[in-house]
Amino acid sequence: VTSRLEGSVDVKVLMSIREAKANAYFALSDFLNSHAESECLLALARHTGDRVKEGAALASMAFSSFWAHDFEKALEESRQALDVATQVDAAPVIAASRFTNGYIYATTERLEAARIEWTEALRIGRATAAPRPRTFRNHSPSVALRFRGTGQENTWRQPSK
């Protein structure tokens, strides 16, 4: 549908459609199609010069790549999202990218790096009232931040009273 609309509909409408499709595919755990829709969104954002949307598309691609278990690609896309977002001071994109990095590091047993990324994502989000990524609502890093390990053994650190 969106390919037939190109040229006859405002590009912002097309970007909204691509973003909605990426989110819908993600909700269905179809991470490859979610990534593909975010790539189309990225192309439209670059065409219009919308740097915030460009960063958001890259962050979305990184999160889809993470869930598709392509960790190196996810880290590269997240790095690109951070680069763009930092240039335009897009705090929600920076927080989302740091959040994704935290998940990648936790999954690949780099727990201290994960803790640092999640702590920074939470700090940015709280300082700027940036909307939390949907996954924060279901998989709170605050629980994961209490987890630590050496790679050989993992232990739970009890919260201080």
Side-chain angles (χ1 to χ4, degrees):
V1 172
T2 50
S3 59
R4 290 184 298 206
L5 293 174
E6 289 181 19
S8 62
V9 174
D10 181 54
V11 72
K12 293 203 180 288
V13 172
L14 291 175
M15 291 192 326
S16 294
I17 292 170
R18 292 291 189 182
E19 188 172 26
K21 286 178 70 177
N23 291 336
Y25 280 126
F26 190 89
L28 295 171
S29 297
D30 186 346
F31 307 118
L32 297 179
N33 278 319
S34 177
H35 190 279
E37 290 297 333
S38 293
E39 281 184 295
C40 292
L41 174 60
L42 176 63
L44 291 169
R46 285 180 172 163
H47 176 73
T48 61
D50 187 336
R51 301 284 285 163
V52 174
K53 194 61 81 175
E54 178 183 348
L58 285 161
S60 178
M61 289 165 57
F63 205 48
S64 292
S65 292
F66 163 74
W67 283 100
H69 299 185
D70 192 343
F71 303 130
E72 292 305 316
K73 183 176 183 180
L75 281 172
E76 175 56 26
E77 290 164 343
S78 184
R79 184 198 59 75
Q80 291 177 37
L82 279 168
D83 287 348
V84 170
T86 301
Q87 291 172 17
V88 295
D89 198 28
V93 176
I94 294 169
S97 297
R98 302 293 299 261
F99 168 73
T100 299
N101 288 345
Y103 261 102
I104 296 164
Y105 294 145
T107 302
T108 57
E109 298 184 14
R110 294 178 272 180
L111 300 179
E112 181 59 20
R115 184 192 64 75
I116 291 167
E117 291 293 326
W118 281 334
T119 300
E120 188 62 12
L122 288 169
R123 185 195 65 74
I124 293 167
R126 288 176 181 147
T128 62
R132 296 182 305 166
R134 281 187 207 98
T135 308
F136 259 165
R137 297 177 196 133
N138 299 326
H139 307 285
S140 177
S142 62
V143 173
L145 288 172
R146 294 188 336 218
F147 188 74
R148 64 177 179 202
T150 62
Q152 299 287 337
E153 63 183 60
N154 294 314
T155 59
W156 283 96
R157 179 171 33 103
Q158 294 299 317
S160 356
K161 293 185 180 189

